[in-house]
Amino acid sequence: MRVGLDVGGTKTDAVAVDDSGTVVARVRLATGQGPQAVIATVLEAVRALRESLDAGAAPFTSIGIGIPGQVMPGTTRVTHAVNLGIDDLDLAAAISPVLSLPVYVENDVKAAALGAYALHGAASQSLSSMAYLNLGTGIAAGIVEDGVLARGRHGSAGEVGHISVDPAGPLCRCGQHGCIEALAGGGAIAQRWGTGAALPVKDVFDASDAGDPLAQSLRAGLAAGAAAAVRVLVLTVDVDTVVLGGGVTNLGDALLSDIRAQLDASAAASPFLRSLCLSERVALLPLGSPAAALGAALLGEARTPEGVLAHG
Amino acid sequence: MRVGLDVGGTKTDAVAVDDSGTVVARVRLATGQGPQAVIATVLEAVRALRESLDAGAAPFTSIGIGIPGQVMPGTTRVTHAVNLGIDDLDLAAAISPVLSLPVYVENDVKAAALGAYALHGAASQSLSSMAYLNLGTGIAAGIVEDGVLARGRHGSAGEVGHISVDPAGPLCRCGQHGCIEALAGGGAIAQRWGTGAALPVKDVFDASDAGDPLAQSLRAGLAAGAAAAVRVLVLTVDVDTVVLGGGVTNLGDALLSDIRAQLDASAAASPFLRSLCLSERVALLPLGSPAAALGAALLGEARTPEGVLAHG
């Protein structure tokens, strides 16, 4: 039995996955801040998962952790996890000795991509490649081809959020103008909306429906940025499907309709884009899906393509 | 001994490659127009290659053909090769029976990517992934990871020329505005320059040096579009290196300096981009290099990663 954890800025989602790839237990708890508290959260999540299972359940064989920071390919060290108060931490070095289990670590979006592939691949037998596009505070994608996560060697695979698609667009926190993230990232939208609402993007959608011009412009930028990310992923990597997830996708069908309308408009203008049927190739990750935690659980076996394919 | 052909709109470049991956013979001849004339060109190129070799040279074991058209992954059928007057032609069906050899067919840019990887990989042992960005009449890229060409399943992998990076940019022949190809494609630049010069992009560079404002604007757009393509390739696929080739790169260092200046300017504005050292990761394919013909020769063995890696 494998354990997978999605250690988020406020909550940690933990699952236990059996050999057939099925989630057999799931617990959620608050995430502590700072290296020691994050390690304590991981240990507590593993304990709670164990407790939620029957006494006769199989032992845990590995722990995978998805975490919002940079993880250099092939290492278990996370850096720049600013939302967790972690600057530099080797999670395996801290946790393996305590639990006596192999620990795998991956960026949370890349872990979610593996999980979304397993979830989506199970529903669609013919899926050979997929991008998971995370629309959260920031924007990034994870790319899975034939069951294997594209990691790249410098860690920038899937960083489509910082591709500029409009030189006259808003300034991005990265320093460029018109990045996809500056248009469609939840953080950038909240900042430009400026009301301090608890659910800023939901607030923007509501105000847009009520006719507010700024809200309508922000909402159009969100759809344009997300549609641009879909085009980049299909025209560069030729993924079969782009699965959308992340906090902003809590807006559900209203968001998906906006993005599809943008893709349909560009298809109407361009026979080439029309031939790619982009609008039909985007899908929403089901709300509440444990994609990142499931993907984290699969990390150990994802070192070999065959392992993941067995779960596809 | 393998044969590789780069069947271009006006000229065909043909090489014979020995088992160590070395080009041992090369011939160039004019390309005929239309299906029958193109087949005759291929047969004549193979005959001329044979004639240029010693009588004791090893027999030919396969023929690979790179051709400017759409080739669905895994087939030998080319469609929409408009510059050759070919609408739909199965090259293997036409040529295999005559020469009694296996025939492989690939889009010319993708073939050039394989060849550039073999050429560049031989010089740089640590190269694990590369994009070949073809700056010609149009713009497209071929991506090679660990010696394997990324084909995608729908044939749109590497079609970065039709990613829009400026909604206020010029209309592209594809119907979108501000595509990378509309900014940086030789065809789009020639059309907007409009002098009918034999070497339009060279003419634009000369007029730009002489202070012509339209030429300066077109030249800046070329550099901006090419730099955008480099960013898209690194931020999506995380390739180690982007090798530039195609007719527009006949401009040599003047072009490379322009593109590097654009990448340096965006790095100066963005610490994130600065960390990626993009300017150092672009290189020009040497002028006159037989990349596409060499890559076409490698197509047969490129079906398995090990085969190409042996040449890396």
Side-chain angles (χ1 to χ4, degrees), chain A residues 70 73 126-129 143 145 150-160 162-168 173-176 228 231-240 266 269-273 276 281, chain B residues 70 73 126-129 143 145 150-160 162-168 173-176 228 231-240 266 269-273 276 281:
Chain A
Q70 284 182 19
S126 67
L127 189 71
S128 74
S129 62
I143 298 162
E145 294 185 272
R151 285 185 175 84
R153 211 169 50 155
H154 309 268
S156 71
E159 288 289 354
V160 296
H162 297 292
I163 291 172
S164 166
V165 293
D166 184 359
R173 65 183 174 91
C174 88
Q176 298 183 87
R231 284 186 217 106
V232 164
L233 289 162
V234 172
L235 292 176
T236 307
V237 188
D238 193 16
V239 289
D240 285 330
S266 58
S270 167
F272 172 65
L273 288 185
L276 299 176
R281 288 161 76 177
Chain B
Q70 284 181 21
S126 67
L127 189 72
S128 74
S129 62
I143 297 162
E145 293 185 274
R151 287 186 173 83
R153 212 167 51 153
H154 309 269
S156 71
E159 289 288 354
V160 296
H162 296 293
I163 291 172
S164 167
V165 293
D166 185 359
R173 65 184 173 90
C174 87
Q176 297 183 90
R231 282 187 220 104
V232 163
L233 289 162
V234 172
L235 292 175
T236 308
V237 188
D238 192 16
V239 291
D240 286 328
S266 57
S270 168
F272 172 66
L273 289 184
L276 299 176
R281 288 161 77 176

Side-chain angles (χ1 to χ4, degrees), chain B:
Chain B
M1 188 112 60
R2 296 166 180 283
V3 172
L5 277 74
D6 173 23
V7 179
T10 54
K11 272 178 292 185
T12 290
D13 188 15
V15 297
V17 177
D18 70 14
D19 290 347
S20 75
T22 305
V23 172
V24 293
R26 185 177 186 184
V27 299
R28 270 166 281 198
L29 60 169
T31 305
Q33 282 286 310
Q36 291 313 312
V38 165
I39 290 164
T41 302
V42 169
L43 297 174
E44 170 58 16
V46 175
R47 196 198 57 74
L49 271 179
R50 185 79 257 172
E51 214 171 74
S52 74
L53 289 164
D54 292 341
F60 293 157
T61 53
S62 70
I63 299 178
I65 301 174
I67 192 160
Q70 284 181 21
V71 180
M72 275 307 280
T75 76
T76 54
R77 214 174 113 189
V78 60
T79 55
H80 306 303
V82 285
N83 292 338
L84 297 171
I86 291 175
D87 187 45
D88 188 344
L89 175 66
D90 188 331
L91 277 161
I95 292 164
S96 272
V98 184
L99 296 177
S100 302
L101 290 173
V103 173
Y104 304 101
V105 181
E106 189 53 270
N107 167 269
D108 59 341
V109 172
K110 291 194 170 63
L114 263 186
Y117 183 86
L119 292 168
H120 206 85
S124 146
Q125 289 299 325
S126 67
L127 189 72
S128 74
S129 62
M130 195 206 76
Y132 168 73
L133 179 62
N134 194 73
L135 304 173
T137 306
I139 291 185
I143 297 162
V144 183
E145 293 185 274
D146 292 328
V148 181
L149 187 62
R151 287 186 173 83
R153 212 167 51 153
H154 309 269
S156 71
E159 289 288 354
V160 296
H162 296 293
I163 291 172
S164 167
V165 293
D166 185 359
L171 181 65
C172 182
R173 65 184 173 90
C174 87
Q176 297 183 90
H177 281 270
C179 286
I180 287 173
E181 181 169 308
L183 290 167
I189 291 173
Q191 193 186 17
R192 286 159 67 206
W193 183 231
T195 62
L199 298 169
V201 187
K202 172 79 168 63
D203 204 37
V204 165
F205 269 57
D206 291 343
S208 156
D209 285 338
D212 183 280
L214 173 60
Q216 287 173 342
S217 145
L218 291 173
R219 182 174 174 171
L222 166 51
V230 171
R231 282 187 220 104
V232 163
L233 289 162
V234 172
L235 292 175
T236 308
V237 188
D238 192 16
V239 291
D240 286 328
T241 303
V242 179
V243 174
L244 311 173
V248 171
T249 60
N250 287 341
L251 289 162
D253 285 337
L255 176 71
L256 186 60
S257 302
D258 279 12
I259 296 171
R260 285 202 166 130
Q262 285 273 345
L263 294 170
D264 288 338
S266 57
S270 168
F272 172 66
L273 289 184
R274 193 152 65 244
S275 75
L276 299 176
C277 306
L278 295 176
S279 187
E280 298 159 27
R281 288 161 77 176
V282 292
L284 283 181
L285 196 66
L287 209 65
S289 152
L294 171 61
L298 300 177
L299 282 173
E301 67 183 7
R303 305 282 142 166
T304 58
E306 295 73 20
V308 172
L309 283 174
H311 283 271

Side-chain angles (χ1 to χ4, degrees), chain A residues 233-271:
Chain A
L233 289 162
V234 172
L235 292 176
T236 307
V237 188
D238 193 16
V239 289
D240 285 330
T241 304
V242 179
V243 174
L244 310 174
V248 172
T249 60
N250 287 342
L251 289 161
D253 285 338
L255 176 71
L256 187 60
S257 301
D258 278 12
I259 296 171
R260 286 202 166 128
Q262 284 274 344
L263 293 170
D264 288 339
S266 58
S270 167

Side-chain angles (χ1 to χ4, degrees), chain A residues 121-160:
Chain A
S124 145
Q125 289 300 326
S126 67
L127 189 71
S128 74
S129 62
M130 194 207 76
Y132 167 74
L133 178 62
N134 194 73
L135 304 173
T137 307
I139 291 186
I143 298 162
V144 183
E145 294 185 272
D146 291 328
V148 181
L149 186 61
R151 285 185 175 84
R153 211 169 50 155
H154 309 268
S156 71
E159 288 289 354
V160 296

